[in-house]
Amino acid sequence: MRFRNLISKKMDQNENILTIYPTVMAQVGNEGGSNQLNHNQDLSKSDTFRYYIFNNLNNFLPLLIAVVAVVLQFFVFKAVFPYANFIPDSYAYVDAARLNTPINWYPIGYSKFLRLFSVFSRSDTALVAFQYFFLEFSLLFFVSSIWYIFRPGKLVKYILLSIVVFNPIFLLLGNYVTSDAIFTALSIVWLTQLLWIIYSPRPVFIFIQVAILLILFTVRYNALFYPIVSSFAFILSPDRIWRKILGITISIVVVGAFVWQTSSLYLTASGTRQFSPFSGWQLANNALNVYKYTYKENFTRVPRNFLALDSMVREHYDTIKSISKAILQSPNAFYMWSPASPLLKYQKAYFKNDSTTDYFLQWAKMGPLYSDYGSWLIRTNPGSFAKRYLLPNAVSYLTPPAEFLGLYNERQDTVGELMSSWFAYKSNHIKAASKDIGFPSVYGPIGAVSNLAFFFGVIGFAMVKGFKGNSKAFLRSVLLVAGIWIIGAAFSIFSSPVVLRYQTFTIIYSLTFSILIIEYIYRSDRVKSF
């Protein structure tokens, strides 16, 4: 009876059940309950995030041990893989950094970062260290914020901490000369900031969130749906109405200004206003992954502006047996980069008599045409596109393939002149303990578990009436993360072939909140049993 009364009293005070359960249990089990309550009231006077982390040994010590473990793991990893890891994307990023171009094949943010970092160091070890530690400290900020806002039990606290500290995938991400580690780290900081906006909104958080959002936009196009999520977070926030409107407005204006400025650069360079030629190539690539199954049955009249391109595509399909079947079985980026791609062949033919336009501008100028062509193909074969592309990609979203994370330098012993020059290598030969990295393959099943656990966890949360409970901060946070999960899944499945390095952020937040929801449900059942 004492337990039930205390729970009811705490719930009436609008406290989070994730917070009140340990407190009530301590009071029930403590003969000097009133003294314990007074002690808790004294602590609440200094219950700031800084105090919670640095003045509470139960929180500070595990985090300190985590930092030491992160550093030690890095040195062990670099003993096994002394050089950075490179994939084709790496060369595009470094070349743009070398030339200091305002636009590139990929978003320009990571190339600008590489150029800025080179002012201080050309060491690939220094770069990898920065990327890895930035990612890990972002994760520690995320976990410690989860601790403070939701006050999970000790077991859950240590499980969450272990996930971000003793996780070798972060070492692999940090070791790549790509935007993956930086984008994942910034996404984690962005999500953490949104949780703070929901929990304890402050005016400064608006500008911090907008700044992070802008940087994310310059690093990877996966951030295209982030402003929608940010707006949702402001709506869920208990802040004043005018601050919500201000946060949403500034986010839209700043991101819109960046999109306009980028599209203006492409207008000057290619003659067409477009935010990214990459999206046009990607859309055509996605459509061609499906068109190969239906082109002989497609009797729709081909628009005049697509006739030459479509003819070349059909010719390609008629000779497709000469190409590896493994490449063509599932959604992939074959049609964007392979010399055998009809998209690249058409580009070459289109600019056959043009010796003045450089290759990048040729590529950029094809973006609008390929966007229109890809859209037309999808509209004329929506059922086939859903079956042949969206469905397999949805499976990949649940169990993302390792892709490049399973290889070191694409199993090569050398790097190109661009890399050896940029990082001041003594030669173009690099070494590693192994060219094949097996363990990333286990993250496919882990991704499936985290996604399914989150999906069914939210259903379970609703079944225990969590959406009607008094834990407002947790309720709003679950709604926010569910929004990210739904919108992110739709965006990822439609936009490009899904691979593990793109889904690390999703696995982190879905697994984290799955664990928190399970704890919430468990504690709710414990409360009901008394």
Side-chain angles (χ1 to χ4, degrees):
M1 180 62 69
R2 174 175 169 74
F3 182 89
R4 184 184 296 274
N5 291 338
L6 286 169
I7 286 287
S8 300
K9 181 178 179 181
K10 290 288 185 178
M11 295 292 278
D12 290 340
Q13 294 172 357
N14 199 32
E15 294 191 33
N16 191 332
I17 191 170
L18 294 178
T19 304
I20 65 177
Y21 184 81
T23 304
V24 171
M25 287 298 290
Q27 293 181 49
V28 171
N30 190 330
E31 293 183 358
S34 59
N35 293 333
Q36 178 68 29
L37 183 61
N38 292 333
H39 177 61
N40 287 338
Q41 290 173 343
D42 291 339
L43 284 178
S44 66
K45 297 177 182 178
S46 303
D47 193 20
T48 63
F49 180 61
R50 181 180 296 178
Y51 184 94
Y52 179 82
I53 297 300
F54 295 103
N55 292 71
N56 188 328
L57 193 62
N58 292 328
N59 298 323
F60 179 74
L61 186 59
L63 290 172
L64 180 62
I65 294 173
V67 171
V68 174
V70 164
V71 174
L72 291 177
Q73 286 178 112
F74 176 77
F75 284 107
V76 172
F77 179 81
K78 292 314 292 180
V80 179
F81 296 98
Y83 292 91
N85 201 348
F86 304 99
I87 61 176
D89 297 6
S90 306
Y91 290 85
Y93 285 123
V94 171
D95 191 48
R98 178 180 65 87
L99 298 174
N100 196 27
T101 57
I103 50 178
N104 186 34
W105 315 88
Y106 300 103
I108 202 64
Y110 184 68
S111 293
K112 294 297 184 183
F113 161 74
L114 289 176
R115 187 172 181 86
L116 176 62
F117 194 88
S118 69
V119 173
F120 304 98
S121 175
R122 284 294 184 97
S123 166
D124 70 332
T125 302
L127 174 65
V128 168
F130 179 89
Q131 293 183 157
Y132 172 63
F133 290 131
F134 178 43
L135 176 55
E136 281 291 356
F137 282 108
S138 298
L139 289 163
L140 290 176
F141 173 51
F142 173 65
V143 168
S144 57
S145 295
I146 292 289
W147 287 5
Y148 177 78
I149 295 173
F150 304 125
R151 308 298 171 97
K154 184 179 292 186
L155 177 61
V156 170
K157 286 173 60 176
Y158 293 157
I159 290 175
L160 296 179
L161 186 62
S162 298
I163 289 172
V164 303
V165 173
F166 303 107
N167 196 329
I169 196 172
F170 302 134
L171 289 162
L172 295 182
L173 284 176
N175 203 45
Y176 272 101
V177 182
T178 67
S179 62
D180 299 309
I182 298 297
F183 183 79
T184 302
L186 288 169
S187 295
I188 290 294
V189 174
W190 167 73
L191 173 57
T192 308
Q193 192 64 40
L194 294 184
L195 293 176
W196 278 102
I197 288 173
I198 288 176
Y199 173 71
S200 180
R202 299 178 185 177
V204 69
F205 289 169
I206 296 175
F207 300 99
I208 293 175
Q209 187 274 148
V210 171
I212 297 171
L213 196 61
L214 181 60
I215 296 172
L216 279 162
F217 247 69
T218 70
V219 176
R220 183 177 287 170
Y221 296 130
N222 294 56
L224 285 171
F225 71 90
Y226 283 16
I228 300 174
V229 177
S230 293
S231 299
F232 186 42
F234 282 115
I235 292 172
L236 292 173
S237 169
D239 206 354
R240 298 175 181 175
I241 295 295
W242 71 267
R243 286 183 183 173
K244 294 184 181 185
I245 297 173
L246 178 64
I248 295 172
T249 303
I250 293 178
S251 299
I252 295 173
V253 169
V254 170
V255 171
F258 171 75
V259 171
W260 179 263
Q261 189 265 347
T262 302
S263 63
S264 296
L265 291 173
Y266 276 112
L267 175 63
T268 303
S270 67
T272 305
R273 182 175 293 279
Q274 52 182 326
F275 175 59
S276 168
F278 189 94
S279 60
W281 280 79
Q282 185 72 69
L283 191 62
N285 171 85
N286 298 349
L288 291 184
N289 269 277
V290 176
Y291 194 38
K292 59 178 177 270
Y293 299 107
T294 62
Y295 77 103
K296 290 185 178 181
E297 304 170 1
N298 184 21
F299 301 108
T300 304
R301 184 175 180 179
V302 179
R304 180 176 298 180
N305 57 323
F306 301 148
L307 281 173
L309 173 58
D310 191 71
S311 176
M312 190 171 288
V313 168
R314 288 171 178 268
E315 182 181 350
H316 162 77
Y317 289 141
D318 289 336
T319 58
I320 206 169
K321 292 180 181 180
S322 61
I323 302 171
S324 172
K325 292 183 179 180
I327 295 177
L328 302 172
Q329 285 178 350
S330 60
N332 57 74
F334 170 83
Y335 295 100
M336 293 186 67
W337 309 115
S338 173
S341 165
L343 299 181
L344 289 171
K345 289 182 177 180
Y346 183 79
Q347 175 190 319
K348 184 177 180 180
Y350 189 87
F351 290 97
K352 181 179 180 180
N353 299 321
D354 186 347
S355 59
T356 59
T357 305
D358 66 35
Y359 187 81
F360 172 73
L361 288 182
Q362 291 180 13
W363 175 85
K365 289 183 176 183
M366 302 309 297
L369 173 65
Y370 289 168
S371 177
D372 293 341
Y373 180 61
S375 298
W376 174 75
L377 288 177
I378 293 171
R379 289 197 307 271
T380 56
N381 299 278
S384 181
F385 184 75
K387 177 182 177 181
R388 302 281 188 175
Y389 183 84
L390 296 181
L391 183 58
N393 219 27
V395 174
S396 294
Y397 184 85
L398 288 176
T399 57
E403 194 224 14
F404 288 119
L405 283 177
L407 304 174
Y408 181 78
N409 196 39
E410 297 185 278
R411 299 194 179 99
Q412 301 298 312
D413 294 320
T414 59
V415 294
E417 177 62 29
L418 176 63
M419 291 303 174
S420 60
S421 173
W422 182 263
F423 291 110
Y425 291 156
K426 294 180 179 179
S427 72
N428 65 340
H429 288 273
I430 62 174
K431 60 181 180 179
S434 174
K435 297 183 180 66
D436 291 286
I437 308 170
F439 69 83
S441 60
V442 306
Y443 284 89
I446 291 175
V449 169
S450 64
N451 280 298
L452 293 174
F454 180 74
F455 176 76
F456 288 109
V458 172
I459 294 176
F461 183 74
M463 291 178 66
V464 298
K465 300 182 179 180
F467 291 110
K468 296 181 180 180
N470 290 325
S471 49
K472 297 293 178 62
F474 190 62
L475 161 62
R476 291 165 179 159
S477 299
V478 170
L479 288 173
L480 173 69
V481 174
I484 299 175
W485 190 80
I486 294 170
I487 299 172
F491 179 86
S492 298
I493 292 169
F494 182 84
S495 64
S496 63
V498 176
V499 293
L500 179 58
R501 58 196 176 97
Y502 297 161
Q503 294 305 113
T504 308
F505 173 54
T506 302
I507 293 174
I508 292 168
Y509 73 70
S510 61
L511 187 58
T512 298
F513 273 84
S514 296
I515 295 171
L516 290 174
I517 290 172
I518 290 171
E519 183 187 36
Y520 180 96
I521 294 172
Y522 171 76
R523 287 180 169 175
S524 297
D525 289 341
R526 288 290 301 274
V527 170
K528 290 177 182 179
S529 67
F530 280 87

